Structures are given as C-alpha cells and as structure tokens.
Amino acid sequence: MAELEGSKWLTDINAHTPLELVMRGHLWIESRMIDLLNDIVPFPSRIDFGRFTFPQKVALVAAHGGLDDDDVAAYLKLNSMRNKVAHRLDAALSAEDEIALINCLSPALRGSSLVDDRRVAGQPWPYALRHIMAAMIIQVEHRHAALIKARTDKHAVDAEVIRVTHELRTEREQRAATRATSDGESTPRVSS
C-alpha cells in the first residue's frame, strides 16, 4: 500500500501546473500529518483532525516531535501559497512565491530538497517547488516512522526493566529465604 501511495504522490507533485502542484502537495503533506497525529496522540478517536486548520495541524505535529521548530515556517508558507490560490479566482502562483518558500526553508529542508544544487536551482519555475514538496512529504513520513520506532523502543525498554526488576526481587526473596533457613527460622520472610 505504501508503495502505491508513494507512486501516487510522486505523480501528483509532478503535476503540470503550479496550482495543481501546490494544491496536491499540500493535501499530501496534510494527509501525512494526520496519519502521524493519529499514531502519536494517545486518544485520536476523540479528535477530528479534519476540523483543525493546517496551521493547527503543523503546531500539533511540531509539539509531538514530528517537525523541528525551524521547519514550521516553511510549512506555514506553503499553506499561505495554497490559500492564495484556493480562495481567490484571480490569484496565481509565480516564481516569487517559490523564492519566498525557499527563503523559509530550514537548513535541513534546503539540503534535502536540493534547492541549492545547480541541477535544481538552474531549472525554470516550478522545478525547485517539486523538490521542496517531495522533501516536505518525505520529512513528515520519516519523522512519523522515527516517532513510531521511538515509542516501540521505549516499550521494549519498559518491558526489559520490568523483567529485570522481577528477577531482582525473586533473587532477593531467595536470599532472604536461604538466610532465614540458615538462621534456624522455620518460616522464611518474603519481602514485597
């Protein structure tokens, strides 16, 4: 399923017009954020993430470790680009919008989107925007996977601590029983 979705979002961000690119890229990023929130929030069934604005979702994802603070500005800038064309019939996107988005990128997003690489930077608008969209989608996907792994690792550590604590208690009880028997007591003391 993930492989099919991967090829779908690649097709969507390879859209012919900047309008399609921004609208579809924004939807994919928002979808990935909702997936992340559904897996991270303790009781996701109690929240309808579809009722949250994109900036609220960005803030929640960042608050749960899904985005670094210096990445938030780029996601919010993308949202403003999307709103520019989604709510006004006469609005259009331009290379200046792409430059404004590039200027909001964190060093990590700049690097992963390759916008400073001459093979990307030298291409006509909206070539770099496609790279930025891909980097943003992948960043959220990777953070999601990392948060799930961290939660799984924590559960494994918790289980190991419980196991070791149980072994320590059992060993302590056995030593107390041995001591009690060697001291001539008829009933060993068991600590709790």
Side-chain angles (χ1 to χ4, degrees), residues 71 102 105-117 120 131-132 135:
D71 291 325
I102 289 170
L105 297 178
S106 67
L109 272 173
R110 265 189 106 90
S112 61
S113 65
L114 305 172
V115 295
D116 296 319
D117 185 293
V120 174
H131 283 258
I132 294 166

Side-chain angles (χ1 to χ4, degrees), residues 58-77 104-109 136 139 143:
V58 169
L60 277 171
V61 168
H64 286 87
L67 293 174
D68 289 333
D69 289 342
D70 60 346
D71 291 325
V72 169
Y75 287 87
L76 296 178
K77 182 62 178 175
C104 289
L105 297 178
S106 67
L109 272 173
M136 292 172 100
Q139 181 184 52
R143 279 298 177 86

